Amino acid sequence: TEISVPGAMLLPGLIDLHAHLREPGQEYKEDLVSGLAAAAAGGFTDICAMPNTRPVNDTRAITEMLVHKSRAIGGTRLHPIGAITLGQKGDTLTEMADLKDAGAVAVSDDGHCVTRSDVMRRALEYSSTFDLPLIQHCEDHALTAGAQMHEGAVSTKLGLRGWPRVAEDVIVARDIILAEYTRAKYHIAHVSTMGAVRILREAKSRGINVTAEVTPHHLLLTDAALIGYDTACKVNPPLREDEDLLALRDALADGTIDCIATDHAPHSPLEKDCELSEASPGMIGLELCIPLMLGLVNKGVLPLARMVDALTRAPSKIAGLPRTEIKEGAEANLTLVDPAASWTVSADRLRTKSKNTPFLGQTVTGKVVLTIVSGTVVFDATTKPA
Ligand code: DOR
């Protein structure tokens, strides 16, 4: 078959290191079928699923279920991320060899809240035994209790309890020291503060094995978006201030931050149409990543080559996934993007079950038109209206 989309860009298949697909347990927000459909529509050939499901993915059985079920569904490939510890607040490490054997590509504290240094040290030592990267959420819970948003002038104005930057910075600093000590592969999830960027940059200059990701929303929005108490803008870590946003953009552009990850976090209307203090944190991201990031490219903030690297080669290296290349004879894992197509973000255009995004109603430029996984078309908008 011949496909012709004038002006389109052909990219290696996109990889998302950080998505919440909610299965098992919270299928009313998202399930594997809807989550993988959203991923394919967003141009992702591979996504890594965070373990904060119900139950948490802390066993071989859940990891195997995710692998088998997602393969049966087909389309975008799912790579499970196992939990670091057993149980929601446990300090007993999971059987990481089993998790890896069943298909996990990393382990993470997501949903487990590992802030104890002794547990982190053991987890880093143990994960490095199996060459599994450890993805940390970097939040000192003692400093974020009751926080609804970033701590600053806006939180004071709104009368809401804030989450200080240092809650992230202290964990990033400590864990980098522990990662250096244990020689583990340490990955920082959704960096959000200028302080964390500074610490990361210094660690990388010393050759420590640390990597990091940033989300589209932390690159585009600040806490000013919460002035109307918009629950769609409540997210962990919170939207910060201009100086953080600028530091994140610089760090992504110069490669200090390795990759872009969506932190796709679907929530139902029940969890968002309520008081800000009651609302669940998180926003959807899979289908908006490409247009939002192309917006930064078009503004001259992010070099196109860096955007592509941050969504393909960099995450594949961190998760140990085969690198997809565009060349004759290679298995086709490809994403075709029309960079000039404009469209308005609306609930009925999104494949994800949940519609919690502050970008609803906005007109964006850049559209995924085709996604191919292992030579099979898994998303095709070439024949449908843009
Ligand atoms: O805002 C967030 N929501 N941040 C996270 O790290 C988790 C996510 C979720 O699972 O809803």
Side-chain angles (χ1 to χ4, degrees):
T1 42
E2 198 165 293
I3 297 159
S4 169
V5 184
M9 299 188 296
L10 186 62
L11 309 178
L14 309 182
I15 299 170
D16 188 6
L17 278 184
H18 192 145
H20 299 272
L21 295 192
R22 306 300 191 209
E23 191 171 339
Q26 294 180 310
E27 289 84 354
Y28 66 98
K29 297 180 198 241
E30 193 84 286
D31 56 26
L32 294 181
V33 171
S34 62
L36 292 174
F44 292 96
T45 53
D46 296 84
I47 57 171
C48 302
M50 278 291 172
N52 64 334
T53 45
R54 308 280 163 82
V56 165
N57 179 12
D58 55 11
T59 56
R60 172 190 277 275
I62 296 172
T63 305
E64 275 176 355
M65 180 280 287
L66 289 170
V67 169
H68 291 149
K69 204 164 169 187
S70 62
R71 280 200 193 141
I73 293 165
T76 293
R77 291 174 289 225
L78 178 146
H79 308 279
I81 297 172
I84 291 171
T85 57
L86 286 173
Q88 200 69 16
K89 284 202 162 61
D91 56 12
T92 305
L93 300 185
T94 47
E95 290 297 343
M96 295 184 194
D98 282 355
L99 297 177
K100 183 172 177 170
D101 189 51
V105 292
V107 288
S108 172
D109 71 320
D110 204 332
H112 280 264
C113 316
V114 176
T115 44
R116 269 176 48 189
S117 310
D118 59 328
V119 178
M120 264 311 280
R121 176 193 167 171
R122 282 194 284 120
L124 284 162
E125 279 169 349
Y126 199 44
S127 61
S128 69
T129 316
F130 308 110
D131 203 28
L132 277 169
L134 191 156
I135 305 177
Q136 237 290 39
H137 269 62
C138 301
E139 174 189 348
D140 184 336
H141 290 262
L143 289 167
T144 62
Q148 305 300 327
M149 61 176 295
H150 168 70
E151 180 184 280
V154 178
S155 66
T156 305
K157 186 172 165 184
L158 296 178
L160 294 172
R161 189 187 291 251
W163 167 329
R165 292 184 178 96
V166 289
E168 178 166 323
D169 302 352
V170 292
I171 299 291
V172 168
R174 179 203 67 182
D175 287 352
I176 284 177
I177 292 168
L178 288 171
E180 182 178 16
Y181 178 62
T182 57
R183 296 170 191 270
K185 276 190 189 165
Y186 177 67
H187 178 78
I188 306 170
H190 39 49
V191 181
S192 75
T193 68
M194 54 187 177
V197 166
R198 195 168 53 234
I199 298 163
L200 172 67
R201 189 172 273 127
E202 192 267 345
K204 283 196 161 186
S205 75
R206 290 196 296 116
I208 300 170
N209 202 351
V210 52
T211 52
E213 68 190 32
V214 62
T215 70
H217 46 273
H218 289 109
L219 291 166
L220 287 161
L221 300 170
T222 65
D223 59 351
L226 281 129
I227 285 173
Y229 296 90
D230 182 2
T231 57
C233 293
K234 182 175 177 182
V235 64
N236 285 354
L239 302 173
R240 302 286 184 182
E241 296 181 50
D242 279 338
E243 57 231 271
D244 301 286
L245 177 142
L246 294 174
L248 294 170
R249 288 179 175 185
D250 281 350
L252 178 63
D254 74 15
T256 300
I257 294 176
D258 304 78
C259 42
I260 297 164
T262 66
D263 193 11
H264 177 77
H267 292 295
S268 73
L270 210 68
E271 292 144 335
K272 284 292 192 180
D273 297 346
C274 54
E275 291 287 312
L276 197 83
S277 59
E278 305 289 315
S280 299
M283 51 182 88
I284 54 165
L286 288 167
E287 290 160 271
L288 299 175
C289 183
I290 274 291
L292 294 178
M293 293 300 88
L294 279 175
L296 286 184
V297 171
N298 292 335
K299 268 198 203 159
V301 168
L302 181 63
L304 177 63
R306 189 74 258 289
M307 181 201 89
V308 174
D309 184 73
L311 284 165
T312 58
R313 188 203 58 86
S316 79
K317 195 163 169 234
I318 293 165
L321 300 174
R323 175 153 179 223
T324 55
E325 281 181 276
I326 305 181
K327 66 171 189 212
E328 189 112 27
E331 184 187 74
N333 291 295
L334 301 168
T335 304
L336 191 67
V337 175
D338 182 346
S342 285
W343 57 288
T344 301
V345 181
S346 63
D348 60 334
R349 283 192 165 210
L350 300 172
R351 273 135 182 102
T352 167
K353 260 189 205 182
S354 295
K355 314 295 173 187
N356 53 305
T357 167
F359 295 101
L360 277 184
Q362 286 198 23
T363 299
V364 290
T365 305
K367 197 178 181 313
V368 172
V369 286
L370 194 75
T371 309
I372 300 177
V373 175
S374 298
T376 301
V377 173
V378 300
F379 174 74
D380 184 358
T382 55
T383 52
K384 299 175 199 105

